[in-house]
Amino acid sequence: MSYQITFGPRVRKSPFFDCTVADGVRHFTIYNQMYMPTGYSDPQAEYRRLLEGVSMWDVAAERQVEIKGRDAERLVRYLTPRDLKNCAIGKGKYVPLCDHQGRLINDPVLLRLADDRFWLSIADSDVLLWVRAVAAEGGFDVTVSEPDVSPLAIQGPKAEAVVIDLLGDWVRDLKYFWFREADVDGIPLVVARSGWSKQGGFELYLCDGSKGEALWERVKKAGAAHGIGPGAPNYIERVESGLLSYGSDNLADSTPYEVGLDKMINLDRSDDFIGKQALFKEAEQGPARLLVGITFDGEPVPSNQHPWPVRVDGKSAGAVRVVCHSPRLAQNIGLALLDRPFTALGTILEIEGEGATYRATVVPQPLVPPGTPLP
Ligand code: THG
């Protein structure tokens, strides 16, 4: 039986959409109610290009939620458990958002554009609704909007060379997670050294959606000499590197402690933030589950279509959230969300896969240490 999903205008397209189609995009996912490319013609070549060359990604579905006004800073501090004490203008920060029960509801990148103006560059959940409600209920003097801003990521070891050719030598001095406003051929940008891979790179936040094609073509032109090609947030590289994929790795009631975001939670802050009490309790008791890295032998697995049940000594232990084959480890790897008693390193897991069973081992994260080359 074949079936299709119907997409109407409710599912929005990125300013780069037509360019990705022209460049041969083959796979999309839906992210923040938008199309987001996940692959072109050759997954292996895309993986290699990210590790050894440079790749350009339409990540416009990472929408911005802008918080502007007299109480903007106070609201942003209230929204995240991370301490923003050194939140300078021009600096980005990875800031988990929790609800009042301490559940992780998004894991955006925060950008401070001015004293009274911030962007949350969001993962796949409705942060605009949340922030508007929190702001209005709490009487914060802010406006909360979705600006016309669309990120394009340039990732890989040759990304810096491309962005220097595109924008100039000054980008060498841009530190990790810092950003600057810039302009290329009249295309307004915010340029950040960041991105959802551990291969290094930049994100160009396009600030005028009517110039999507112009930017895409300009990046291709600057990148041509460096072998740039189209790509997408890379599923394998991010599992290897341990970058969280919100909604894939976690459950709706997962906490930041469960998914390894402990370092982003600062309970020693004196000011209040949403979820504080619940997170205190969680920190004291320890999370009920943990997201762990696993490896397992066998033929290279394709990505899973649904979570795979896990047993330990016949007892239900949780589920494998994502699997893939790691070219760098020459092994199957994955991330499993397991009840705490089953999360010790070396624990042997019995996994019910799609059409096969596997024996996996709980191993340290990141599954592949940064800087590991391809064989
Ligand atoms: N870039 C931008 N927006 C985004 C993402 C992005 N929105 C959605 C999604 N990605 C948000 N999730 C993440 C997850 C991890 C990181 C960034 C965004 C990340 N983490 C580093 C790490 O874990 O090593 C650095 C964390 C830190 O030290 O602060 O980069 O990619 N614009």
Side-chain angles (χ1 to χ4, degrees), residues 67-84:
I67 302 170
K68 188 170 167 24
R70 200 166 53 88
D71 294 332
E73 181 174 0
R74 192 165 63 86
L75 175 58
V76 169
R77 287 175 187 271
Y78 185 57
L79 287 168
T80 178
R82 186 155 189 196
D83 194 345
L84 302 181

Side-chain angles (χ1 to χ4, degrees), residues 31 59 62-64 82 92-94 106-109 111 121-124 151 176-177 194-198 203 205 241-246 261 264:
Y31 196 93
V59 285
E62 294 168 349
R63 303 312 294 165
Q64 312 305 303
R82 186 155 189 196
K93 228 169 174 148
Y94 183 40
N106 202 287
D107 68 329
V109 176
L111 292 85
S121 182
I122 64 172
D124 184 22
Y176 183 55
F177 258 71
S194 56
W196 204 59
S197 85
K198 283 286 174 190
E203 293 179 302
Y205 294 77
S241 299
L243 292 171
L244 185 73
S245 177
Y246 181 82
L261 296 184
M264 316 291 163

Side-chain angles (χ1 to χ4, degrees), residues 131-262:
V131 176
R132 279 186 174 153
V134 170
E137 290 288 320
F140 289 87
D141 180 8
V142 291
T143 49
V144 183
S145 62
E146 187 192 294
D148 175 9
V149 175
S150 303
L152 190 168
I154 304 176
Q155 299 286 299
K158 296 182 181 167
E160 185 176 60
V162 174
V163 180
I164 288 170
D165 285 358
L166 186 70
L167 295 165
D169 268 326
W170 63 265
V171 298
R172 286 185 210 278
D173 300 326
L174 201 58
K175 293 200 277 286
Y176 183 55
F177 258 71
W178 286 70
F179 64 86
R180 229 180 87 172
E181 293 182 44
D183 181 293
V184 57
D185 302 343
I187 307 168
L189 302 173
V190 166
V191 179
R193 191 188 287 272
S194 56
W196 204 59
S197 85
K198 283 286 174 190
Q199 306 311 312
F202 294 79
E203 293 179 302
L204 311 182
Y205 294 77
L206 169 65
C207 300
D208 176 352
S210 74
K211 299 194 157 82
E213 187 182 344
L215 179 61
W216 189 267
E217 292 308 324
R218 215 36 210 84
V219 171
K220 266 173 80 170
K221 203 168 120 196
H226 306 281
I228 204 167
N234 194 279
Y235 180 81
I236 297 172
E237 194 274 343
R238 80 90 188 171
V239 175
E240 291 180 334
S241 299
L243 292 171
L244 185 73
S245 177
Y246 181 82
S248 297
D249 301 352
N250 59 304
L251 291 165
D253 62 349
S254 287
T255 68
Y257 292 112
E258 260 179 63
V259 297
L261 296 184
D262 314 39

Side-chain angles (χ1 to χ4, degrees), residues 346-358:
T347 305
I348 303 295
L349 312 175
E350 302 141 23
I351 297 174
E352 187 68 43
E354 283 153 54
T357 59
Y358 302 96

